[in-house]
Amino acid sequence: MLKELSIKNFAIIEEVSVSFSDGLTVLTGETGAGKSIIIDAVHLLAGGRGSQEFIRHGAKKAELEGLFYIHNPQHPVFQKLQDVGIEADEDSVILRRDINDHGKSVCRVNGKLVTIAILREIGGSLIDIHGQHESQELMDERLHISLLDQFAGSKLHRSKESYTGLFQKYMKLKKELADVSDNEQQIAQRIDLYQYQINEIDAIELIDNEDEDLQAERKKFQNYHKTFERISAAHEALNGESKGLDWIGNAMSELEDIASFDESYKEQAELVSNSFYSLQELSYQLKSEMDESEFDEERLNVIEERLAAIQSLKRKYGNSIEEILAYRHKIGEELDALMNRDERIQQRQKALEQIEKDLEIEAKELTIYRKKAAKSLSEAIVLQLRELFMEKATFEVIFKASAGFDKNGKDDVSFYMSTNVGEPAKPISKIASGGELSRMMLALKGIFSKHQGITSIIFDEVDTGVSGRVAQAIAEKIANISLSSQVLCITHLPQVAAMADQQLLIEKEVTGKRTMTKLTEVTGQNRVQELSRMMSGSEITTLTLEHATELLSIAEQRKKLSHV
């Protein structure tokens, strides 16, 4: 339920805060006092279209805030909050909207900034507003099937879940088939491109890490002359006359001679001896490398050409040989799929045909459940209309089979009715009479309010154009709806006002040179006075006061009966 509403600098309202109760709350007052402004504020709070025209003259922005209590932990609003990452209190949601003087809105849900689209989605799950000439959801033929499904109950819901899962597979397969069956010219171009790229990569015959090995080999060739000179110098230092090996050989001989009569020098002699022979072996190796070394300019050219070819592939297909080969593998698979697309198309078409057969069975089951529910719905609405003194009215749910499958199956559903004997049933959106439209709306809402989970239902003068016994029937119907959902209602009918659990009086007053709207809860004798004014206008008599008192007494009795 909408528990608290705060409005600041909105239209002719400077600042108003109001607490609402459970059940039925009516807003009454003279025409032009600002009753509809309250509803407009709630409408904007729920994501309705706003503009700077709503801002009170002289103010920088309009501020709207509403606190909603939700007693049902399974209410769909909690899932919506979770989907957009908003923390939810255990039983409350706060909506806030500020509209600045440029017409821009700042929206918050539980203190978190959201887009107007998210505010509208969340607000739509909490508030349902109906005006005298607004059909809204109940009058939108596109939504009739979802209303019927809500009414149908758990068996249809389980069947629909099964259908929905299959339908999602069906749509995915159709998309895959469309992708495979893409434009033939584009496919031919892709085949040519992939074949060219594969041939270009395969022609090089790449080997893992080959570029690193080639770069190392190229570096050797680039430093060949410097390397040869250094090896020659090292060999000369070791093996030339009176060079390193001669001196080490002399040291070895001296130490070996000492070790022959003094074993304490044996270790040093062996160390020098080992070093001598190791260096001698190294000298032979250096000499061999010098003899075998040859600068192969042709091999260097081959390396340069090979590295250039690899670099060319890197610029096109990847930063390394590994990436190039991975790309080659990927386009190879895609080329294979394209070359064998006819087979893939046939496989998918066969799978699609099987799913269509399964969908046909599931859709027929949905239709059976819906037609059974449609019969019960028609009987329930006709009963509601009789209670609203539309004894001659008929109601039908018209089924038309759609050409293909959609998310709801193969049914197109529309609500039809006739209000006069002998007249054919027509779509309810074509009903001309405002009074009949109001009663039709109340009949539908009386049934669907229990199924939709809406927290607050708002009726904006839906009782216009009726009087007498019809007015009393409408009053009782609105009161009955308030047993399952909080109802806020703007009314000029004393019968409706008398059925209220809470009555708020909207008045316009001039303070200084500014017009303001004032909102007051009326109780006790003040409520009798207000009902009397609604019945007789500005002149309140003893008789109208008695009638108002009687009307309240009758309303109280009927509310007690409805609670039994």
Side-chain angles (χ1 to χ4, degrees):
M1 61 172 286
L2 175 59
K3 181 62 178 175
E4 300 280 344
L5 177 65
S6 175
I7 304 171
K8 187 175 181 180
N9 294 324
F10 185 77
I12 61 174
I13 297 176
E14 182 177 34
E15 188 168 3
V16 164
S17 293
V18 57
S19 297
F20 296 101
S21 67
D22 286 332
L24 173 59
T25 295
V26 297
L27 286 73
T28 62
E30 298 284 359
T31 300
K35 299 185 298 298
S36 291
I37 294 175
I38 304 294
I39 304 305
D40 289 339
V42 177
H43 179 63
L44 264 68
L45 194 60
R49 186 175 181 180
S51 73
Q52 66 268 36
E53 294 177 2
F54 286 107
I55 302 174
R56 180 174 169 80
H57 178 67
K60 292 293 185 182
K61 65 178 180 178
E63 302 174 31
L64 310 171
E65 190 168 42
L67 168 64
F68 294 82
Y69 283 160
I70 300 105
H71 303 300
N72 177 14
Q74 304 302 318
H75 193 285
V77 72
F78 292 117
Q79 183 61 50
K80 293 181 185 295
L81 291 174
Q82 183 178 335
D83 291 343
V84 294
I86 297 175
E87 289 189 12
D89 292 335
E90 290 184 0
D91 61 354
S92 65
V93 175
I94 298 175
L95 305 184
R96 181 180 175 89
R97 183 174 182 181
D98 297 344
I99 304 173
N100 64 32
D101 53 6
H102 296 293
K104 301 297 184 182
S105 292
V106 177
C107 307
R108 289 182 173 84
V109 177
N110 284 357
K112 182 175 180 178
L113 284 169
V114 297
T115 63
I116 190 68
I118 292 175
L119 180 70
R120 186 179 301 118
E121 184 177 356
I122 293 172
S125 68
L126 297 172
I127 303 169
D128 189 14
I129 301 177
H130 293 272
Q132 179 187 356
H133 300 294
E134 292 175 296
S135 57
Q136 297 235 349
E137 182 177 321
L138 294 177
M139 300 300 158
D140 189 343
E141 288 191 7
R142 295 170 300 177
L143 300 177
H144 287 177
I145 191 166
S146 62
L147 292 173
L148 178 61
D149 288 357
Q150 288 175 29
F151 179 81
S154 58
K155 285 187 177 180
L156 184 136
H157 292 169
R158 287 193 293 270
S159 179
K160 194 170 183 179
E161 285 178 1
S162 175
Y163 173 87
T164 300
L166 198 59
F167 180 71
Q168 290 172 347
K169 292 180 182 178
Y170 169 75
M171 294 302 294
K172 181 181 179 182
L173 194 56
K174 282 190 72 173
K175 184 180 183 303
E176 290 176 356
L177 188 58
D179 291 342
V180 175
S181 306
D182 204 357
N183 183 282
E184 286 296 323
Q185 184 178 2
Q186 292 180 358
I187 290 176
Q189 291 172 349
R190 286 167 63 191
I191 289 175
D192 288 345
L193 175 63
Y194 289 161
Q195 286 178 332
Y196 171 81
Q197 292 177 336
I198 287 171
N199 290 337
E200 185 178 29
I201 294 172
D202 289 349
I204 302 299
E205 297 181 349
L206 293 171
I207 302 171
D208 286 337
N209 302 318
E210 178 186 7
D211 51 343
E212 296 176 4
D213 295 338
L214 290 172
Q215 287 168 358
E217 188 178 359
R218 179 177 65 178
K219 190 174 182 179
K220 283 185 178 181
F221 277 115
Q222 290 173 336
N223 292 281
Y224 171 79
H225 296 293
K226 185 185 292 185
T227 301
F228 187 84
E229 289 174 0
R230 298 296 184 270
I231 291 175
S232 297
H235 180 268
E236 179 66 19
L238 288 172
N239 213 44
E241 186 177 351
S242 297
K243 300 297 181 178
L245 280 175
D246 288 343
W247 289 105
I248 294 172
N250 291 337
M252 179 180 66
S253 297
E254 298 297 340
L255 289 171
E256 285 177 345
D257 186 44
I258 295 172
S260 64
F261 57 81
D262 187 347
E263 290 190 357
S264 64
Y265 285 93
K266 184 176 182 180
E267 185 177 348
Q268 290 92 328
E270 289 178 353
L271 179 62
V272 174
S273 177
N274 290 338
S275 298
F276 175 81
Y277 291 117
S278 294
L279 289 171
Q280 189 177 55
E281 178 65 25
L282 175 61
S283 175
Y284 295 153
Q285 290 178 4
L286 292 175
K287 181 65 169 66
S288 176
E289 288 180 15
M290 289 169 56
D291 294 341
E292 295 177 2
S293 177
E294 181 181 0
F295 180 75
D296 190 346
E297 186 172 354
E298 184 177 347
R299 173 59 182 166
L300 179 59
N301 290 335
V302 170
I303 291 172
E304 294 288 4
E305 291 174 1
R306 182 71 175 171
L307 286 172
I310 293 173
Q311 186 60 33
S312 176
L313 292 182
K314 285 182 178 180
R315 286 194 295 269
K316 297 178 183 179
Y317 308 120
N319 295 321
S320 65
I321 289 179
E322 183 181 7
E323 290 184 11
I324 295 170
L325 293 175
Y327 178 78
R328 162 65 176 85
H329 178 72
K330 175 187 174 184
I331 62 173
E333 289 184 341
E334 292 185 14
L335 178 62
D336 182 65
L338 291 173
M339 296 294 287
N340 296 285
R341 67 188 184 282
D342 290 340
E343 181 181 347
R344 293 179 65 197
I345 289 173
Q346 290 177 359
Q347 290 175 348
R348 281 167 170 74
Q349 284 177 335
K350 186 176 181 180
L352 193 66
E353 289 171 2
Q354 183 58 52
I355 288 183
E356 285 177 342
K357 291 178 181 177
D358 295 338
L359 276 176
E360 190 71 40
I361 295 171
E362 297 280 358
K364 285 180 179 179
E365 187 174 83
L366 285 175
T367 302
I368 291 171
Y369 283 128
R370 284 184 179 130
K371 287 187 174 180
K372 184 176 180 180
K375 183 178 179 182
S376 299
L377 177 62
S378 298
E379 293 172 354
I381 288 179
V382 168
L383 181 60
Q384 292 272 338
L385 292 174
R386 286 176 182 170
E387 293 174 356
L388 291 166
F389 298 101
M390 294 179 68
E391 299 90 344
K392 307 300 182 183
T394 61
F395 180 89
E396 299 177 56
V397 180
I398 302 299
F399 285 80
K400 294 179 182 177
S402 56
F405 300 103
D406 63 21
K407 63 180 182 179
N408 292 312
K410 295 188 75 174
D411 296 325
D412 284 333
V413 171
S414 299
F415 295 164
Y416 276 56
M417 74 173 296
S418 171
T419 57
N420 298 299
V421 176
E423 292 295 322
K426 296 179 181 179
I428 59 175
S429 57
K430 305 296 184 182
I431 299 172
S433 165
E436 290 174 340
L437 182 59
S438 297
R439 283 181 278 175
M440 185 65 220
M441 184 185 299
L442 285 172
L444 288 167
K445 182 53 65 177
I447 294 170
F448 287 116
S449 62
K450 298 176 183 178
H451 298 273
Q452 291 174 304
I454 297 295
T455 299
S456 302
I457 301 170
I458 298 175
F459 292 118
D460 187 2
E461 298 190 25
V462 296
D463 50 19
T464 300
V466 298
S467 59
R469 63 175 187 167
V470 174
Q472 183 60 45
I474 285 179
E476 293 178 17
K477 188 61 61 182
I478 292 175
N480 285 335
I481 294 172
S482 73
L483 296 177
S484 56
S485 297
Q486 179 194 42
V487 174
L488 308 181
C489 180
I490 291 178
T491 184
H492 289 285
L493 290 178
Q495 294 93 330
V496 175
M499 295 293 292
D501 299 297
Q502 178 186 33
Q503 184 171 353
L504 302 174
L505 175 62
I506 314 295
E507 297 176 287
K508 187 189 296 182
E509 63 180 13
V510 178
T511 302
K513 295 183 179 181
R514 296 299 302 272
T515 301
M516 299 184 181
T517 290
K518 183 176 69 172
L519 188 149
T520 309
E521 183 171 2
V522 291
T523 58
Q525 191 59 34
N526 290 333
R527 191 172 181 198
V528 175
Q529 290 278 342
E530 174 60 12
L531 288 176
S532 181
R533 181 201 62 77
M534 294 176 71
M535 287 188 285
S536 63
S538 59
E539 185 177 349
I540 297 176
T541 66
T542 302
L543 185 59
T544 58
L545 289 171
E546 290 175 356
H547 285 171
T549 302
E550 183 182 15
L551 190 60
L552 282 170
S553 177
I554 293 172
E556 193 64 31
Q557 293 174 13
R558 291 185 174 175
K559 284 198 292 183
K560 287 180 179 178
L561 288 174
S562 65
H563 282 80
V564 174

